[in-house]
Each structure stands twice: as structure tokens, then as C-alpha cells.
Amino acid sequence: MSSDTYHAPAPPPDVPVLEARGLTKHFPVKGLRSHAVVHAVDGVDVSLRSGQVVALVGESGSGKSTIARLLARLYTQTSGEILLHGEPVTAHRGRAFRRYCRRVQMIFQDPFGSLNPVHTIRYTLTRSLRIHQPKLRGQALEDALEALLNRVQLQPERYVDKYPHELSGGQRQRVAIARALAADPEVLLADEPISMLDVSIRIGILNLLKDLRDRLGIAILYITHDIASARYFADETRVMYAGRIVEHGESELVTQEPAHPYTQLLVRSAPDPENLAAQDRTGANGEPPSMVRPPEGCRFSPRCPFATDLCRSTVPALVPVGDGRKVACWGYVEASDVEPAERDLLPVLGAARVGVSA
Amino acid sequence: MTVTDLSPVGASTGTSRPVLEIRDLHVAYGYGPEPVRALRGVNLTLHEGEVLGIAGESGCGKSTLVYAATRLLPPPGLITGGEVLFHGGVGSTGGEPVDILRMSDKELRRSRWQDTAIVFQGAMNSLNPVYRVGKQLTDAIAAHRPGMSRTDRNDRAAELLSMVGIAKDRISAYPHQLSGGMRQRVMIAMALALEPKVLIMDEPTTALDVVMQRQIVEQIIELRDRLGFSVVFITHDVSLLIEVADRIAIMYAGEIVEQASASDVYRRPRHPYTHGLLNSFPPLHGPKRPLVGIPGSPPDLQALPTGCPFRPRCAHVMDACADVHPALGPTSLGLPGVGEPGRSVACLLHDGHGEVPAELRV
């Protein structure tokens, strides 16, 4: 933590680069004598390993972006801890914070708002390079600038003296990625990096991030509401609902055989031109709960067709269901693992239950 | 029940009479010597009871097209040519179509919302935050049905709300008390208040998440089946269009480059741009395959290349593409001289300038 170089020693493979345990963030609600809080994120665990992409999928308001901002230390958490290479991180300002920033960088959703319109690309990137690598001067700086632009597949001579307004959305997002890479980070937090881009160039940005993951071994947290892009891009997918993680596992497994009733609803709702004939009306109804007074038990219980009194009163823990997958649903809890009084209250998922817990 | 089975009332009985015909529509932004030519000769026909999808990237002219066709184009937008014929509108006599672009202000005011209603992009901002939704719903009714009493109007507003799946007691709610999905439903209810013949939806689900998007889309399809209006559905999400639309028009740089039935567009794209667009969406089901998207960036309408506007990004570019501007015409596949029925494409590959590549002749 205290070293001044930005190249961290190679971490042992079993320790995640960045890890969050029991991350919780409550925002106070404004108003006189108001003690209410918005339960934006509640007890979330995330671990990012180098060379791996973890997707965080959920609808708007589920707390995905809050997690990214907590991990970037732009917010301080209400409780829980963040570990960088196994060491707790407490910095949120000053020198220690800047040292942390060097290793954990963030890309924002809006490439139109995240680049200063009055500066050229050269200025923006040079600043980032000079802040994170103060010893760079002259030709070395120029070379580093060129290398950065090449890394994000923009021809340096063509783009270096342009202003942001002269670039398209995709090119701007590439510059934003280059700016993050100037710090030579170990972790990249990408908050909806493609949702504001034109459809034809989104895949290009995802492929670029994929390439960075493979070549530089960066750990990437990919935040999205599009579960199909998580399947395409991420190694592991975590599904969030109303501030909690309801399911996580290997992307292919989570998207092809969703276990949690919410993930099933999400996958069923996504347009699927391949399979028009099999597309039933989903019967989707209801909407996400109020985050100021969230439901007491499982937060999906008001919309869940299988919910019982147990679901409505007690929060289910993440239980393993095989193949490294975990699901937070009472329907996957074995009857032998609960109090005898609760056994009759376990929901029966029937055909919706997938996988067999090992 | 499949979504494709929900064929329109008109199409299933074989009487596909046109409701709205757009002919050779030209729109430019800016009055100076070099205006941005946002639409260049668009032809489009909407039939009775049909869901017509318009897809394309941002800036390709999708929204400009419908705003021009309804004369809602804000300055400096200028309609520089063409006509928009509406069949059987309030002002029409003896079955003759009327040209919306030539209506007087009075006629236009009568026709708007009655003939064509619009659900605007961004449900969050389309409602007035200082009025209750019930008041906003009854306003349009009061303006067009002066004879209706206040109680009748309120009853109608409540009926409209329940039609889109909102409890009647929410009629006195303010927009901020409703969620994004509910606000979008209120917008749809408002658009249906006068039972229009044509409903235009400009990216109605873009600001919503997938579960809500599915609910809204199912609602629209159900209402279409029950009330029999025609829908123009604008979105950049082609995979969603394939589910909801009967026919799809793909736009690029202010022109329609391909037009065909929804399943033809998806299974048998004929234009390289359509093919690229379909390859830009990672599939949720089916085999996982590497995707490339479309190289380059969306066109700058002020500096369009000569010939085909898609030329700089096209994988099948030929010498002729730089000189000849392709016109929307029949495909070179199918019957000679006629092409495939019900579809047209604007690409030189189909004008006999070259061999149609394998992936575009499936």
C-alpha cells in the first residue's frame, strides 16, 4: 500500500485483487426530523481477480452504480470492508486516496460528460499521465501518449489534437478508457460503458475491454442492465435486485439456466428473436420496491409467484446450488437446514428450480 | 400465443389499406447555404392495423421522420419537399386522402391527436410535473370533444388508466408519485384518449429496464389487437422490433436502406448495414459467437460521402459505390425483375453491380 510505484507485486493467484465484504450503503433521506434512509446497497460481496470480468446486472435503482462508486472510494460505505490484495482500504481523501486511485480506475457511462470540452485529447491524456507517472517528461511522455492511444485503437496522429466535440461517442469512450489506462490500473470499474453509445459500435468497445483484460490482465467490473451483453463479455455474472445480490455464478450458467425467480424473469423478458414461437407472455407485473422501506424478507417476495410467509419475513442467504453458483432464495434451501417450524413454509419452485445442490 | 401470431386486423383479412403514406419526404436542418439534410427522399407506407418498426442508429433520422410527418418538427428543421397523405382522417371528404403538410392550422389542430397520436421519448419528462395526471389526461379530451361533460371526461380518463393497467385512484396522482413505467403507461393512455387511427411511439421503452419494457410492449400489442389502430414503433433495439413489428424499415443517414417483414429482416437481411446491425447485439440464447459490430462511426450528415452513404463502413464496397447513389428497389434474388415480394433494399449489390455475398443471400 505504501510503495510509491504503481506496479504492485504480482498477487498470489488465490487472493482477489479487489474484494468487498458485506458492503452496505445507506443514504439519508432529506427532511426535518427524518431518520429514514435509502437502502441502496445491503451486504454485498464482490471479488475481482486479475484477467477476469465480473458483470453486475440489475435494473435501474438496484444499486449497481453505488457499488462501483463505493469501490472507487467516491462514497464511503455505511458498513462492510473493501480489501485491495487482502489489505483493508480506508483511504477516501488525500495522498492515500490518490495512491488507491492509481490502482483502481473508473470509466463512466456518459462519454459526452466525462471529458472536459475545452481541452484537447492531448491535454486530457497528458494530465492523466503526469498525475500518475510524475517523472514522465519530453519524448518519454510523448511516447506514452502515443502508446495509450494505440492501445485503445485510435490513430495517435489523427486524434491527439482533437477536441471532444470532434469525436463520435465511441471514440470519446475510447479516450475515457485511455485516460483510465494512463494510471496503469489493476482494476477497471466500468459503469455502463456502452449504454449511451450507438448500437453498431457497442460491440467494438466491449471487444476492446476484452482485449485489455487478456493483454494487460486487468480485473474488470462490468456494470450493465443488459444481461445479454454480460453473457457475451463477462466471465462471472452477479445479478442484483433492490440492493442485494440474488444470484451469482458463471455467466453462461446464469443466463442459460437462471436459478433465482428474478433472474428467470429478467431472462424471460429480454427480447429473443431466435425463439419467437416459444415466447409466452411473461405475465410480468409489479415493480421494484421502495428502497426507503424495503420489504422485510426477500426483497423480490412481493413480485415472486412462489413467495411464502417465510420469504416475506426472513432474508434468504446465498446458498450454493452446484457448479460454483450461489442463489439467495428460500426455494433452494434444503428442508433439513432449517428449523422444523419453518419447513412447511419453504417455497416450492417446482419446474422453475434448476440445478441440484452438491 | 406467439407475438408473431398477433397479425394485424387488416393484414389477416387481406385488406391492407394504407392509413399513412409518406412520399419522397425531404427534411433539412438549418436555413443557411449548407443545411444538414436529415431526410433525403423517404417513402414509407403504414397500413391499417399494422405495427411498422423503424430502426437505425441515433442521428439516422428516425425521429425526424415522424416529427416531420406530423408537422411537429421544431425549428431549424424544415420540410423541403414531399407529401404525407392521411387516409380517412377527420377532415377528409369522400375517401380522398389529405396531405398533412398542406393542411391549414385549423385543420391540423383538429386532426392532431384525433388521427395521429404520439408517445414521446423519455416518459420521465413528457408529463407536466405541476398538474395531476388526471387533469393532463382530460385536457386533450376537453379540447377535442367540447360537448362532453366534466364527469364524462373524468370517467373516460379513469377508463383509460385502467386500460393501461393503472388503478383508477391514481388519477389524482402527480407524475413524481408514479414510477417510470407507470408514467410511460400514462403517456400511452393519453395518446389513446381520442382513439387515434395511428399511434407513433418514439423509443417508448428506452429509458425503462427490460422487465418494464416487456410489460409495456405486451400492453401495446394487446391494445392494438383490441382497438385495431396502426403503430409506428421507433427504436434502436432491432431485436425488440423483430418481436413487436409486422414490418421493419431500416434507416441509415436519412434514408431507408431496407424494408421487409420482421422475420425476413432478421433471418434474411439483404443490406450490409442490416446485417451489421443484427451482428451488433450479443444473443442471450443460442450459440455464443464472436461479434464485430460495424467498423467506423455513424455518418456525419454534413459531410456525407458521394455515392452510397454506408460506403466507408461497408465490407462489400465496390468501385461503383463511390459514384452511384443506390435507390430503394427490389432485391436481385427471387423472381427476375420482381425480386422477393414485399421487400426492397437500397444497395448496388442488388442492382447487378456485383455478386451478392453469401451472407446476404440466405
Side-chain angles (χ1 to χ4, degrees):
Chain A
M1 261 317 283
S2 60
S3 80
D4 245 327
T5 60
Y6 41 85
H7 281 288
D14 53 324
V15 177
V17 185
L18 190 66
E19 193 179 3
R21 288 189 195 149
L23 206 56
T24 300
K25 179 72 186 176
H26 293 170
F27 292 103
V29 177
K30 280 185 187 147
L32 277 179
R33 280 168 304 187
S34 163
H35 296 290
V37 290
V38 175
H39 298 70
V41 174
D42 260 330
V44 166
D45 298 335
V46 183
S47 56
L48 304 172
R49 289 162 202 282
S50 48
Q52 202 194 25
V53 178
V54 174
L56 210 53
V57 180
E59 53 199 354
S60 35
S62 62
K64 315 180 294 282
S65 293
T66 306
I67 290 184
R69 277 154 201 262
L70 285 169
L71 289 177
R73 309 289 300 153
L74 299 177
Y75 294 149
T76 43
Q77 68 269 35
T78 309
S79 67
E81 56 178 356
I82 296 171
L83 307 171
L84 186 65
H85 291 299
E87 286 172 45
V89 181
T90 49
H92 60 96
R93 60 192 170 88
R95 206 169 272 222
F97 170 66
R98 286 200 291 277
R99 221 166 20 234
Y100 179 79
C101 281
R102 211 166 284 172
R103 307 168 76 172
V104 179
Q105 281 278 316
M106 191 160 169
I107 312 166
F108 296 91
Q109 178 177 8
D110 182 4
F112 300 84
S114 66
L115 294 174
N116 191 332
V118 304
H119 292 309
T120 59
I121 304 310
R122 176 193 299 278
Y123 179 88
T124 305
L125 293 182
T126 309
R127 256 206 53 84
S128 181
L129 281 166
R130 289 285 302 277
I131 287 170
H132 296 296
Q133 306 178 38
K135 295 192 186 79
L136 278 184
R137 286 285 193 286
Q139 193 55 44
L141 185 63
E142 207 57 30
D143 291 346
L145 182 64
E146 198 165 303
L148 267 187
L149 282 170
N150 279 325
R151 202 176 286 170
V152 294
Q153 292 150 23
L154 292 174
Q155 295 125 297
E157 61 283 1
R158 216 175 128 189
Y159 292 103
V160 78
D161 288 315
K162 297 257 190 207
Y163 285 93
H165 73 261
E166 296 174 281
L167 306 182
S168 72
Q171 289 162 348
R172 269 182 257 198
Q173 196 61 289
R174 281 171 199 267
V175 172
I177 293 171
R179 180 176 56 183
L181 292 179
D184 208 352
E186 295 163 60
V187 179
L188 209 51
L189 307 170
D191 187 2
E192 305 240 17
I194 57 166
S195 62
M196 292 206 34
L197 303 179
D198 274 309
V199 283
S200 70
I201 51 183
R202 287 182 181 178
I203 284 291
I205 297 289
L206 283 190
N207 287 343
L208 169 68
L209 288 171
K210 241 182 182 173
D211 174 61
L212 296 174
R213 170 198 71 183
D214 294 339
R215 274 199 303 158
L216 310 176
I218 298 179
I220 299 178
L221 179 70
Y222 172 60
I223 292 177
T224 183
H225 59 260
D226 177 12
I227 195 163
S229 74
R231 179 197 180 207
Y232 177 75
F233 176 48
D235 304 296
E236 187 196 305
T237 296
R238 286 172 187 249
V239 182
M240 280 194 85
Y241 185 76
R244 289 219 178 92
I245 287 185
V246 294
E247 174 165 0
H248 79 82
E250 205 225 314
S251 297
E252 193 63 19
L253 212 55
V254 171
T255 52
Q256 298 311 298
E257 230 182 42
H260 194 281
Y262 173 66
T263 322
Q264 290 171 355
L265 175 67
L266 202 61
V267 169
R268 235 184 4 247
S269 300
D272 179 16
E274 269 309 332
N275 210 357
L276 286 179
Q279 194 108 45
D280 260 321
R281 294 280 169 113
T282 55
N285 53 43
E287 31 193 57
S290 148
M291 302 295 276
V292 179
R293 241 168 294 150
E296 226 160 79
C298 170
R299 288 183 180 174
F300 188 59
S301 60
R303 294 170 79 181
C304 183
F306 308 106
T308 64
D309 286 345
L310 179 65
C311 302
R312 285 184 273 270
S313 62
T314 321
V315 180
L318 277 164
V319 293
V321 293
D323 295 326
R325 185 146 61 136
K326 286 188 172 182
V327 179
C329 177
W330 282 115
Y332 288 89
V333 175
E334 293 299 321
S336 53
D337 295 343
V338 295
E339 302 287 313
E342 289 175 343
R343 265 175 214 166
D344 297 340
L345 289 173
L346 284 179
V348 182
L349 299 191
R353 183 176 163 141
V354 298
V356 188
S357 63
Chain B
M1 194 194 302
T2 69
V3 177
T4 37
D5 274 344
L6 309 169
S7 43
V9 186
S12 58
T13 52
T15 62
S16 48
R17 279 181 305 181
V19 201
L20 190 69
E21 275 181 276
I22 298 172
R23 288 192 192 156
D24 197 30
L25 192 63
H26 289 259
V27 170
Y29 284 104
Y31 308 118
E34 281 182 11
V36 178
R37 298 176 60 207
L39 287 187
R40 287 165 295 127
V42 172
N43 289 294
L44 201 61
T45 305
L46 177 69
H47 299 280
E48 259 175 27
E50 176 185 52
V51 179
L52 171 67
I54 303 180
E57 296 177 75
S58 38
C60 71
K62 315 185 284 291
S63 300
T64 302
L65 174 63
V66 293
Y67 290 157
T70 47
R71 278 178 64 183
L72 285 172
L73 207 60
L78 206 61
I79 299 166
T80 50
E83 51 186 14
V84 179
L85 301 178
F86 195 94
H87 295 260
V90 277
S92 74
T93 44
E96 279 297 300
V98 274
D99 187 353
I100 295 179
L101 303 184
R102 279 174 189 76
M103 275 183 182
S104 69
D105 284 356
K106 204 174 149 197
E107 285 169 333
L108 187 65
R109 208 177 152 73
R110 248 182 19 154
S111 148
R112 270 187 183 153
W113 223 252
Q114 181 91 276
D115 290 340
T116 311
I118 302 192
V119 177
F120 293 97
Q121 196 171 355
M124 315 298 162
N125 313 317
S126 303
L127 289 167
N128 190 332
V130 301
Y131 290 113
R132 299 176 193 275
V133 294
K135 163 85 177 143
Q136 301 186 50
L137 274 169
T138 49
D139 263 359
I141 306 174
H144 284 267
R145 306 257 194 279
M148 234 168 153
S149 74
R150 181 189 295 260
T151 346
D152 286 349
R153 286 202 299 265
N154 284 338
D155 287 350
R156 173 74 179 143
E159 184 193 328
L160 285 165
L161 279 186
S162 54
M163 198 160 78
V164 294
I166 298 179
K168 285 178 186 175
D169 55 351
R170 301 312 281 271
I171 195 163
S172 53
Y174 284 98
H176 74 266
Q177 294 170 313
L178 305 177
S179 72
M182 284 169 88
R183 269 180 274 181
Q184 191 59 284
R185 282 160 197 268
V186 171
M187 290 303 297
I188 294 169
M190 204 183 272
L192 296 177
L194 302 174
E195 296 174 346
K197 294 186 106 172
V198 176
L199 180 63
I200 294 173
M201 316 201 78
D202 186 10
E203 311 231 8
T205 58
T206 312
L208 306 172
D209 46 70
V210 277
V211 180
M212 197 56 75
Q213 166 174 303
R214 164 75 43 193
Q215 291 180 23
I216 298 277
V217 162
E218 281 177 6
Q219 190 101 62
I220 295 165
I221 298 295
E222 192 208 306
L223 288 170
R224 196 276 313 258
D225 291 345
R226 211 165 60 183
L227 305 175
F229 49 81
S230 316
V231 181
V232 179
F233 198 101
I234 301 178
T235 179
H236 61 258
D237 187 349
V238 191
S239 48
L240 178 68
L241 264 195
I242 289 155
E243 278 190 17
V244 300
D246 302 311
R247 215 150 49 85
I248 295 179
I250 306 278
M251 288 189 76
Y252 188 79
E255 289 168 13
I256 290 175
V257 295
E258 179 159 8
Q259 215 189 116
S261 74
S263 63
D264 276 347
V265 166
Y266 179 65
R267 300 201 184 280
R268 293 171 286 278
R270 293 290 180 249
H271 196 281
Y273 176 64
T274 315
H275 185 261
L277 208 55
L278 290 167
N279 268 297
S280 299
F281 289 94
L284 183 54
H285 302 282
K288 228 171 138 174
R289 54 178 204 268
L291 297 175
V292 285
I294 306 176
S297 32
D300 175 1
L301 289 174
Q302 248 174 329
L304 281 179
T306 56
C308 174
F310 186 58
R311 174 166 65 91
R313 303 174 74 187
C314 185
H316 309 291
V317 63
M318 307 171 287
D319 290 342
C321 296
D323 308 321
V324 187
H325 183 263
L328 201 61
T331 61
S332 68
L333 308 162
L335 297 169
V338 190
E340 292 156 287
R343 65 183 305 172
S344 48
V345 63
C347 179
L348 292 186
L349 289 171
H350 294 275
D351 283 1
H353 279 83
E355 189 66 17
V356 182
E359 73 259 32
L360 300 179
R361 58 181 313 147
V362 187

